[in-house]
Amino acid sequence: MVCTSKFQNYHYCFSFLPIIYSCLLEIVAILSNGVSFWRFSRPYIIASSFLLIISVLMNHYVAPYANKNRLDFENKFTKYNVNFKDVHLEISDGTIVSYRQFIGNTTTVRRLWVENWKENENGQWELESDMQVERAIGDSVLYNWKLKNTFIRKIGKINDVLSTRKLIDTVLSFNISDLGQRSEITYAMTTPELIKYRTKEENKGNSVAQIDISKHERTAYPFAAYILTIIGLSLIHISEPTRLLSIS
């Protein structure tokens, strides 16, 4: 199987050699008839510049909508599995959320722990209350939650107030999507949305390396194609057309 795969790769490479050779012959004929290099290369530069601008705009603002439809289809009809374990997040200032396990294609979080901290007059943060939930079911859009087997502790100046509840229907300051999403979600965001998402994830304490890669490659790929075009034209710019035939 390995030999066959390598042979197919070489076959694809050799199949383009006649096409490249014929193109070189046409270029030699054009340059031999006295056509200047600038006149010859001007259409390529104009076309590549136009395609560069279109590609950058498509990557930053149009392609994310197509990727969004693709991800929605995958989420609905495929069994992808994104498993988050032992995660600690700072959802907002003073709100720390931790959980034991969260599977991305569900809305159930196991062993959820929410801590609320408050800044005192001295600028130090003090624990105000914490909540431990055995099982939490959230909404991906709204902030509604169903909490099962909940332990709540409110910190007092002298004594703490403890309480337990079997089932709570409540609204929290975060939804299920704030706890974790597929890494591919960045491809479904326009660049302004991606910048806001990066700031949000950075404030949570999450790694933003993948987000930065997704943002920069939207511009890097079109410019790479443009640079390759310029390199190809520079190789053609040879004083004697016969040297071009020797390269082929």
Side-chain angles (χ1 to χ4, degrees), residues 204-229:
K204 292 181 184 178
N206 291 336
S207 174
V208 295
Q210 186 63 33
I211 301 176
D212 290 336
I213 292 174
S214 177
K215 182 181 69 174
H216 293 304
E217 69 182 6
R218 299 181 179 187
T219 304
Y221 286 157
F223 270 95
Y226 185 78
I227 292 173
L228 288 176
T229 302

Side-chain angles (χ1 to χ4, degrees), residues 9 11 13 58 65-66 88 98 107 115 122 144 148 238-239:
N9 293 334
H11 174 72
C13 295
M58 290 281 290
Y65 290 101
H88 306 276
S98 306
T107 58
E115 296 180 350
N122 299 325
N144 300 328
K148 297 182 179 181
I238 299 175
S239 58

